[in-house]
């Protein structure tokens, strides 16, 4: 590359096109203004905690990993679900608890403010591949220059380089040198035992197994549905801890274990498993109770060494709260908030989980808010401060995915909090607490939890306008969801499992955008009855991950051949593609081939996961596992048809099809071969990999490649989706009307229809 090479933005400006708000049009840049600054500030307490977060580096610990593995090894020979319960309980009992001055809510995934744990029982290939390197670094680290410091990535807090006493894992997490030897021993223990190892072993029986791996290597889709983040994209149900308390859950399981012991209950396949499930819940819940009590112990320890009288009183209050909620139903709003948060942390410590979402938390916690306000035990100012602190705590959650270095995610845990929607009887469900949740997102603009509003025509105008005001902050939330469309989807997808319109109104969003099946549960607080919504379905966004629609189209154009990786990825179709109809039909054929190849292997992965890594706490909280005695693997959730087929790059695909349809098949300005040649030469531009720049406007033109200028300009000028012209919209409609029933023709691990 030479200095005079022009960038795409410059070339477009010369052509009178420009990278503006309308393809081929013009736009006055003065019309684009900075986001509006709203006159809100967080409370001093929340600001101090958020500032502490900003100064904190992402850290990983082997503590949880060690105690889990140690007990798992000790329990060899035990029934698997009981063995896992012992391992989880042991980790909860022994993990170090930390409390930071100024916190109202306490708890975290690790003893670091931004901490996480590797879970190599899913996949330890990343650690196995780096094992020798870690050891070498650990030996030589002390001799390294003292000025070697972590360089923060764009997101902030990433340990991108080694530093004294710290080794960088995948440019994200820092691990202490003294923990490396233990991590390597744990890595050795799990070799051949992980979901990944067993999944690959049995997936090899699928005839397209090699193609499955090549699909992942070429970034055509993600082939690792069950051994990276197998749990999540769902809504938590906090009902049992909030309504019963942990002691009552244990008592109930003790009673049910006695009742079902030795009885098949008319189900010869699953009935006998109920005893082992109840035994496992008892073991796990007692471990969680010890974990919560350990926060009470830590608060008392800090109380006894803190000279500041106000802080000492706060530690004392934390100790009292944690001791109570370790056993009983919460009495106050702050106790209920603390219990829901610790329950949430317990879920994301049970399994590598992304998108475990609190759902309609403002409606879940409203009974305590209403009664505390009425009794004068709190006020909106104190509640707002607590909600800001909760935002800090959710932001502190980190996620360690132990796949490959590229699979160690950058930490976003997608905790989606939903507001709005309707009650069971169709009335507006929003309340004053939800208004405060929206306001807290304005005063403390943190990444988590993300927000979604279930927009419905019945919602009051002032509430809708408050949600719109939050959008003006520029944080990207709340996302706006059409409540009625979501209800219709739930009834269609889960109708065969008993979903009704009344129950569908409990809808909430899990993860990024997943429409999750929920239910209503009746809760009694101080003699008054309330109905609260909560999750009632299995994890979603598991099944087939992230099919790249543009990549499938490129494979159609190139007869199944991947020129970037020099690989015949899909079987050749050997069609001339003389008509747009033939192009479209071939695209559909390749798409189904891709789904089938991935799904067969992913179903095996999920089956192995449900057999050895049972999500036990998840199976305790969600209806109707506790009542029936059937956990996740035995389809104990009320709704199990949650597995789906995820697509990506849809609009890029639509715009590409529009350009092909317009320029090749209708106007016949270019032949298909000419279009393919231009694509293979990237229209004369350096590829992002060559230029090391992935910004569209910064793409650089090679010298002497003017022969592609006209075809490139024509492709840019071709119809684009989003301009309300109908051309691209018709292509998208054809795609979606084909995709949705096609996805439903495939079945998940549970033998239920999938969805797009």
């Amino acid at each position: 590359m030479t200095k005079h090479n022009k960038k795409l933005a410059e070339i477009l400006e010369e052509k009178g096109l420009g990278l503006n708000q309308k393809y081929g049009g013009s736009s006055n840049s003065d019309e684009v203004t900075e986001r509006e600054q709203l006159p809100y500030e967080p409370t001093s307490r929340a600001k101090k905690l958020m500032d502490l977060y900003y100064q904190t580096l992402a850290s990983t610990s082997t503590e949880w990993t060690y105690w889990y593995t140690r007990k798992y090894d000790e329990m060899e020979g035990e029934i698997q679900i009981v063995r896992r319960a012992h391992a989880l309980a042991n980790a909860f009992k022994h993990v170090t608890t930390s409390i930071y001055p100024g916190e109202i809510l306490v708890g975290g995934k690790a003893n670091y403010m931004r901490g996480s744990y590797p879970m190599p029982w899913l996949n330890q290939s990343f650690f196995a591949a780096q094992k020798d390197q870690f050891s070498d670094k650990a030996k030589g680290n002390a001799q390294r220059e003292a000025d070697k410091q972590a360089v923060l990535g764009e997101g902030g807090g990433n340990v991108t380089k080694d530093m004294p006493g710290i080794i960088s894992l995948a440019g994200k997490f820092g691990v202490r040198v003294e923990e490396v030897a233990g991590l390597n021993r744990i890595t050795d223990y799990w070799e051949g035992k992980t979901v990944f190892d067993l999944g690959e072993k049995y997936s090899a029986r699928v005839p397209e197994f090699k193609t499955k791996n090549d699909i992942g290597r070429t970034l055509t889709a993600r082939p690792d549905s069950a051994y990276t983040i197998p749990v999540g994209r769902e809504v938590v149900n906090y009902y049992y801890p909030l309504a019963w308390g942990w002691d009552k859950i244990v008592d109930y399981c003790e009673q049910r274990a006695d009742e079902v012991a030795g009885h098949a209950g008319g189900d010869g396949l699953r009935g006998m498993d109920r005893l082992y499930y109840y035994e496992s819940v008892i073991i796990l819940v007692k471990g969680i109770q010890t974990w919560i009590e350990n926060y009470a112990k830590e608060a008392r320890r800090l109380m006894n060494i803190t000279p500041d009288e106000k802080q000492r009183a706060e530690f004392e209050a934390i100790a009292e709260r944690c001791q109570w909620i370790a056993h009983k139903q919460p009495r106050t709003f702050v106790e209920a908030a603390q219990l829901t948060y610790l329950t949430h942390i317990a879920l994301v410590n049970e399994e590598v989980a992304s998108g475990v979402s609190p759902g309609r938390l403002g409606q879940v916690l409203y009974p305590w808010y209403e009664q505390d306000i009425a009794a004068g035990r709190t006020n909106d100012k104190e509640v707002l401060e607590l909600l800001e602190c909760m935002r800090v705590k959710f932001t502190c959650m980190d996620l360690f995915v132990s796949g490959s270095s590229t699979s160690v995610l950058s930490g976003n845990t997608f905790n989606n909090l939903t507001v709005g929607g309707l009650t069971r009887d169709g009335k507006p469900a929003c309340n004053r607490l939800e208004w405060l949740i929206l306001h807290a997102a304005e005063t403390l603009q943190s990444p988590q939890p993300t927000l979604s509003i279930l927009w419905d025509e019945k919602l009051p105008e002032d509430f809708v306008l408050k949600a719109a005001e939050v959008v003006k902050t520029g944080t990207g939330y709340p996302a706006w969801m059409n409540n009625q469309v979501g209800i219709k989807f739930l009834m269609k997808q889960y109708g065969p499992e008993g979903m009704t319109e009344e129950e569908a109104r409990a809808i909430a969003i899990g993860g990024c955008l997943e429409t999750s099946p929920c239910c209503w549960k009746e809760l009694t607080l101080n003699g008054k009855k309330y109905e609260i919504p909560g999750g009632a379905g299995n994890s979603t966004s598991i099944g087939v991950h992230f099919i790249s629609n543009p990549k499938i189209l490129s494979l159609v154009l190139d007869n199944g051949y991947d020129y970037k990786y020099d690989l015949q990825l899909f079987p050749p179709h050997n069609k001339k593609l003389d008509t747009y109809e033939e192009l479209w039909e071939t695209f559909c054929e390749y798409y189904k081939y891709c789904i089938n190849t991935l799904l067969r292997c992913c179903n095996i992965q999920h089956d192995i996961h449900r057999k050895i890594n049972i999500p036990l706490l998840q199976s305790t909280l969600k209806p109707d596992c506790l009542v029936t005695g059937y956990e996740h693997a035995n389809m104990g959730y009320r709704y199990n048809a949650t597995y789906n087929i995820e697509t990506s790059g849809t609009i890029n695909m639509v715009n590409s099809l529009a350009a092909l349809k317009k320029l090749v098949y209708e106007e016949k300005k270019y032949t298909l071969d000419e279009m393919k040649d231009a694509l293979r030469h990237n229209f004369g531009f350096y590829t992002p990999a060559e230029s090391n720049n992935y910004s569209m406007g910064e793409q650089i033109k090679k010298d002497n490649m003017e022969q592609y200028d006209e075809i490139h300009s024509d492709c840019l000028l071709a119809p684009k989706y989003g301009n309300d012209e109908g051309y691209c919209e018709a292509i998208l409609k054809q795609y979606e009307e084909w995709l949705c029933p096609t996805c439903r023709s495939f079945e998940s691990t549970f033998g239920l229809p999938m969805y797009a």
Side-chain angles (χ1 to χ4, degrees), residues 585-633:
E585 289 170 2
T586 308
F587 175 84
C588 295
E589 290 169 5
Y590 265 12
Y591 214 102
K592 287 192 287 188
Y593 174 81
C594 184
I595 292 174
N596 187 62
T597 298
L598 292 170
L599 182 60
R600 293 183 67 181
C601 295
C602 289
N603 273 348
I604 291 171
Q605 296 169 19
H606 284 294
D607 188 52
I608 289 169
H609 176 267
R610 67 176 177 173
K611 285 178 166 63
I612 63 175
N613 259 42
I614 303 100
L616 191 50
L617 180 58
Q618 187 191 48
S619 298
T620 303
L621 300 176
K622 294 280 185 74
D624 297 303
C625 298
L626 271 183
V627 174
T628 63
Y630 297 137
E631 40 76 31
H632 164 271

Side-chain angles (χ1 to χ4, degrees), residues 235-249:
V235 174
V236 181
N237 198 314
Y238 303 105
Y239 170 77
Y240 287 113
L242 286 174
W244 292 10
W246 295 110
D247 277 357
K248 188 173 179 180
I249 294 174

Side-chain angles (χ1 to χ4, degrees), residues 552-683:
I552 300 295
L553 179 57
S554 72
L555 290 168
V556 172
L557 295 176
D558 291 324
N559 204 23
Y561 195 82
D562 189 322
Y563 279 90
K564 181 177 180 180
Y565 292 92
D566 191 22
L567 174 69
Q568 185 67 50
L569 183 58
F570 286 5
H573 56 71
N574 295 325
K575 297 178 182 178
K576 293 183 179 181
L577 307 177
D578 287 333
T579 65
Y580 180 79
E581 289 69 28
E582 188 175 37
L583 174 74
W584 170 250
E585 289 170 2
T586 308
F587 175 84
C588 295
E589 290 169 5
Y590 265 12
Y591 214 102
K592 287 192 287 188
Y593 174 81
C594 184
I595 292 174
N596 187 62
T597 298
L598 292 170
L599 182 60
R600 293 183 67 181
C601 295
C602 289
N603 273 348
I604 291 171
Q605 296 169 19
H606 284 294
D607 188 52
I608 289 169
H609 176 267
R610 67 176 177 173
K611 285 178 166 63
I612 63 175
N613 259 42
I614 303 100
L616 191 50
L617 180 58
Q618 187 191 48
S619 298
T620 303
L621 300 176
K622 294 280 185 74
D624 297 303
C625 298
L626 271 183
V627 174
T628 63
Y630 297 137
E631 40 76 31
H632 164 271
N634 280 330
M635 296 178 67
Y637 300 130
R638 188 171 298 184
Y639 304 110
N640 296 278
T642 56
Y643 287 27
N644 56 35
I645 295 165
E646 291 185 326
T647 65
S648 59
T650 300
I651 301 308
N652 282 351
M653 173 207 72
V654 168
N655 289 341
S656 299
L657 285 170
L660 289 167
K661 185 177 184 181
K662 191 82 170 176
L663 299 174
V664 175
Y665 294 107
E666 292 179 354
E667 297 180 354
K668 302 188 185 302
K669 186 171 183 179
Y670 304 102
T671 66
L672 192 59
D673 286 339
E674 287 173 327
M675 186 66 77
K676 289 191 289 185
D677 176 68
L679 288 168
R680 288 174 195 165
H681 289 90
N682 200 33
F683 297 102

Side-chain angles (χ1 to χ4, degrees), residues 289-514:
Q289 289 180 294
T290 301
W291 173 62
I292 298 174
E293 287 179 328
N294 286 343
Y295 279 104
K297 290 179 182 178
E298 175 63 8
R300 284 192 289 269
R301 185 188 73 83
L302 293 171
M303 179 184 70
N304 292 328
I305 62 173
T306 301
D308 182 83
E309 185 175 338
K310 181 181 178 182
Q311 181 62 76
R312 190 163 59 246
E314 289 187 358
F315 284 142
E316 184 176 14
I318 289 169
E320 182 186 349
R321 281 198 293 271
C322 289
Q323 189 65 43
W324 180 269
I325 65 173
H327 299 276
K328 307 295 183 183
Q329 182 189 40
R331 300 162 293 187
T332 64
F333 177 74
V334 66
E335 285 182 355
Q338 179 67 80
L339 180 56
T340 57
Y341 178 72
L342 286 175
T343 302
H344 202 100
I345 288 293
L347 277 167
V348 296
N349 268 10
E350 177 182 41
E351 187 65 278
V352 177
S354 174
V356 176
S357 298
R360 292 159 72 166
L361 188 62
Q363 295 165 33
V364 171
L365 293 178
Y366 185 75
W368 288 268
Y369 168 81
E370 180 190 61
Q371 294 192 17
D372 274 14
I373 291 290
R377 286 189 291 266
T378 191
N379 55 56
D380 280 357
K381 183 178 178 181
E382 292 177 345
V383 170
L384 180 64
E385 182 182 59
L386 178 65
L387 294 173
E388 290 178 344
C389 291
M390 181 179 285
R391 293 199 63 84
V392 177
K393 296 300 288 185
F394 272 100
T395 298
C396 287
M397 289 187 200
D398 246 325
L399 173 66
F400 197 112
V401 180
S402 49
S404 62
S405 59
T406 56
S407 291
V408 181
L409 298 186
S410 57
N412 196 327
T413 44
F414 301 100
N415 308 280
N416 202 321
L417 197 160
T418 305
V419 299
L422 302 177
T423 62
R424 182 202 287 266
D425 57 0
K427 297 177 182 178
C430 56
N431 56 46
R432 176 63 181 175
L433 181 56
E434 288 198 327
W435 191 96
L436 289 170
I437 286 171
L438 288 171
H439 191 51
E442 295 177 302
T443 57
L444 190 91
Q445 297 172 22
S446 60
Q448 296 290 320
T450 57
L451 299 177
S452 292
I453 177 170
L454 295 171
W455 177 81
D456 197 284
E457 290 182 345
K458 292 184 178 181
L459 291 180
E461 183 179 12
D462 60 340
F463 184 80
V464 174
L465 290 176
K466 184 64 177 178
E469 184 182 79
V470 179
V471 173
K472 290 163 64 176
T473 64
T475 52
Y477 49 68
W480 292 66
M481 309 295 173
N482 189 313
N483 190 49
Q484 293 300 320
V485 171
I487 288 171
K488 289 176 183 177
F489 163 75
L490 291 175
M491 292 174 64
K492 181 177 181 180
Q493 181 67 17
Y494 304 103
E497 294 185 89
M499 176 68 74
T500 64
E501 183 174 2
E502 285 188 346
E503 185 128 299
R505 290 180 183 141
I507 178 178
I509 305 300
C512 338
L513 294 171
E514 288 296 335

Side-chain angles (χ1 to χ4, degrees), residues 68-356:
Y68 181 98
T69 302
R70 175 170 169 171
K71 195 66 176 181
Y72 190 88
D73 184 42
E74 289 177 7
M75 301 303 294
E76 184 176 4
E78 179 60 270
I79 291 171
Q80 182 60 26
I81 190 172
V82 179
R83 185 184 191 186
R84 178 156 164 82
H86 276 293
L88 288 168
N90 196 51
F92 275 115
K93 289 176 181 178
H94 288 91
V95 68
T96 301
T97 52
S98 297
I99 299 174
Y100 295 88
E103 287 192 314
I104 304 175
L105 296 177
V106 301
K109 279 179 67 70
N111 55 315
Y112 309 124
M113 190 171 197
R114 288 187 62 183
S116 190
Y117 307 111
M119 295 187 179
W121 37 91
L122 276 176
N123 183 4
Q124 45 76 280
S125 60
F126 170 74
F127 304 105
Q130 303 291 328
K131 180 180 173 184
D132 292 339
Q133 183 183 353
F134 290 159
S135 296
D136 292 342
K137 286 182 177 182
K139 292 173 185 175
N141 199 280
Q143 286 75 41
R144 294 186 175 207
E145 303 88 348
D147 61 349
K148 282 221 171 184
Q149 298 294 321
V151 178
L152 303 187
E154 289 184 41
N158 292 341
V159 182
T160 58
K161 293 182 180 180
D162 300 337
M163 54 194 296
I166 303 295
I167 292 174
S168 170
L169 294 183
K172 164 63 182 176
F173 293 98
V175 63
R176 274 61 179 170
V177 167
E178 59 268 23
E179 296 191 55
V180 170
L183 178 59
N184 286 341
R185 289 186 63 184
I186 293 169
T187 298
D188 288 339
Y189 173 82
W190 287 103
E191 184 177 1
K193 303 183 183 77
T194 67
V195 174
F196 169 80
D197 292 328
L198 295 172
E200 291 295 279
K201 175 182 176 181
Y202 288 100
S203 292
R205 282 286 188 181
V206 176
E208 296 82 10
F209 174 69
K210 180 182 181 301
T211 302
K212 183 272 293 187
N213 286 333
D214 286 339
I215 284 173
R217 183 165 63 88
T218 59
L219 306 182
T220 305
R222 290 289 299 272
D224 53 1
S225 186
Y227 51 78
T228 49
I229 42 175
V231 171
R233 288 75 63 202
E234 64 188 283
V235 174
V236 181
N237 198 314
Y238 303 105
Y239 170 77
Y240 287 113
L242 286 174
W244 292 10
W246 295 110
D247 277 357
K248 188 173 179 180
I249 294 174
V250 171
D251 292 344
Y252 179 81
C253 290
E254 295 274 12
Q255 175 189 336
R256 289 289 287 140
D258 290 344
E259 291 172 354
V260 303
H263 292 293
D267 190 336
L269 294 176
R270 305 179 300 167
M272 297 300 292
D273 290 342
R274 294 177 298 167
L275 171 62
Y276 320 128
Y277 164 70
Y278 285 123
E279 289 287 352
S280 300
V281 174
I282 294 165
I283 294 164
L284 175 59
V285 168
K286 288 182 176 179
I288 291 172
Q289 289 180 294
T290 301
W291 173 62
I292 298 174
E293 287 179 328
N294 286 343
Y295 279 104
K297 290 179 182 178
E298 175 63 8
R300 284 192 289 269
R301 185 188 73 83
L302 293 171
M303 179 184 70
N304 292 328
I305 62 173
T306 301
D308 182 83
E309 185 175 338
K310 181 181 178 182
Q311 181 62 76
R312 190 163 59 246
E314 289 187 358
F315 284 142
E316 184 176 14
I318 289 169
E320 182 186 349
R321 281 198 293 271
C322 289
Q323 189 65 43
W324 180 269
I325 65 173
H327 299 276
K328 307 295 183 183
Q329 182 189 40
R331 300 162 293 187
T332 64
F333 177 74
V334 66
E335 285 182 355
Q338 179 67 80
L339 180 56
T340 57
Y341 178 72
L342 286 175
T343 302
H344 202 100
I345 288 293
L347 277 167
V348 296
N349 268 10
E350 177 182 41
E351 187 65 278
V352 177
S354 174
V356 176

Side-chain angles (χ1 to χ4, degrees), residues 15-30:
K15 293 175 177 288
L17 302 177
L19 285 177
N20 50 54
Q21 294 163 321
K22 181 182 178 186
Y23 79 93
S26 61
S27 173
N28 187 343
S29 60
D30 294 337

